[in-house]
Amino acid sequence: MRPLPWILSSVVLVAGALAWHYGLPVSASEGPKAKAPPPPIPVVAAPVAVEDMPVYGEGIGTVQASSTITVKVRVDGELTKVVFTEGQDVKAGDVLAQIDPRPFAAALAQAKAAKAKDEALLANTKADMERYKVLVPKQAASQQQLDTQVALVAQYQAQIDGDQAAIDNAQTQLDYATVRAPISGRLGVRLVDEGNIVHAGDAGGLVVITQLKPVAVMFTLPQDRLDDVRAAMARGPVDVIAYRRDGITRVGEGTLTLIDNQISSDTGTLRIKALFPNADLKLWPGAFVNVKVLLDTRRNVVTVPAQAIQRGPDGFYVYRLKGDDTVEKRAVTVSGTSAGTSAIEAGLAAGDQVVVDGQYKLKPGARVTVRPAPGTTPAAAPVRSASAGKPA
C-alpha cells in the first residue's frame, strides 16, 4: 500500500481550495493586482463668453468739497446773536449771525436826513433860478446872477446824488450786520461765540461751509492713459465710479470734468477731477476712494474670468475642459484685462469651459470633477452683449 501520493494530492487540493476562498494566487505565475486610478480632481469651471467688455482706468483719489468758504464778517461790531447749529445744513441766504445793527441804522438815518436837506435847498435854488430867468430879459437882474443860480442848481443836484450814494453805502453796511450763508452746504465748528467784538479784518471767521452736493474727487492715472482719457472725453461724457478702499463697495457715480494741464514729473501721473452728485452723502471730504474711469467699450470680444489665466515660461495659458472629463493645457493670447475679466484674442472660442480654481493641482490629461463658478452654468455657451458697457 502506498498512501504517500494520496496524502500529497489531498494537501494540494485543500491548499487550492483555501487559496480560491481567500483570493490568494494559486500559482507563482500570478502577480499583484493592477493599481487603481487616482480620483478625479475637483475644480471650478466657467464658460468662455462673447460680450462687450468695458475698459477702465483705475486710480486712487481724494474726496474734496466742490466749494469751501470761511464765513467772515464784513463790518465791525458786537456779535449779538448766533442762530446756526454746528453741523447744520444751510441754503444760500440763510441767516447765520447778527452784529449789533444800531450804529449802522443811525448812519443810514443820518444819510437820509442829509439828502432831504439838500433836496430842500435844491428846490429853493430852482425856484430862484426860474425867477431870474424872468427878470434878466427885463434887465431887473443881471445875467451873472442867473448863471450863478444855474450853477447852484447843478451843485445841489450833485450833492443829492452824493447823498444817495451815502444812503446806499449805509444800507449796505446795515445789511452786512446780518451775516448770511453765501452758498448752500454743511456748517462746521463755530469759531466765534456771541458777545465777542468782531472785525472785518479778523484773520479767522465765524464758521466754515463745505458744499457736499455735488462733491469732487481728485485722482491720478498713469501718464500712459492720457490719450485714452482724451479720446473718451472727445466722444462725450466720461463715467467715473468711486468705491470704498475695499474696491468692492460702490459709493458714487459721477462724470469726469477736468484733466490737469500738466503731468507730474515726480510720479509720472495725470491729475484728474470728477464731479459726483453725492445725493446720499456717501462721499465725504478728505476720504480716500478707489476710482474707475470708463475709457472705452470693446464690442463682442471673447472673455474669460481673469483668474483662469496662468502664466508659464512660454506665455499665458488656461486649462480647458475636454468632453471626457479631462483637461488640456491651452495657450492663449490675452489682449487686455479689466474689472476681473480678460479678453482673449486667440486660443479659445465661445462654448469652451476653462478652469478658474484648482489649477495648481492639474496637469495635462488629468481627470477632473467640475463645479460651476458662482453665477454661471458650465453646460451653456453664453453669448452676452452689454449695451451700456457698465458694470453691474
Side-chain angles (χ1 to χ4, degrees), residues 328-379:
E328 66 173 346
K329 188 175 179 180
R330 178 71 66 87
V332 294
T333 302
V334 180
S335 59
T337 298
S338 180
T341 301
S342 294
I344 305 300
E345 187 172 330
L348 292 172
D352 289 340
Q353 299 280 325
V354 293
V355 177
V356 297
D357 189 22
Q359 299 99 316
Y360 70 97
K361 302 177 182 178
L362 300 180
K363 61 181 180 179
R367 290 194 309 120
V368 296
T369 178
V370 179
R371 293 185 295 112
T376 65
T377 305

Side-chain angles (χ1 to χ4, degrees), residues 257-294:
T257 59
L258 169 70
I259 304 174
D260 199 3
N261 57 7
Q262 60 182 352
I263 295 173
S264 172
S265 58
D266 295 331
T267 60
T269 56
L270 298 167
R271 294 181 73 241
I272 299 178
K273 182 178 181 180
L275 204 61
F276 292 76
N278 201 31
D280 51 9
L281 294 178
K282 290 185 177 181
L283 294 169
W284 209 256
F288 290 98
V289 292
N290 290 334
V291 178
K292 291 184 178 180
V293 185
L294 182 60

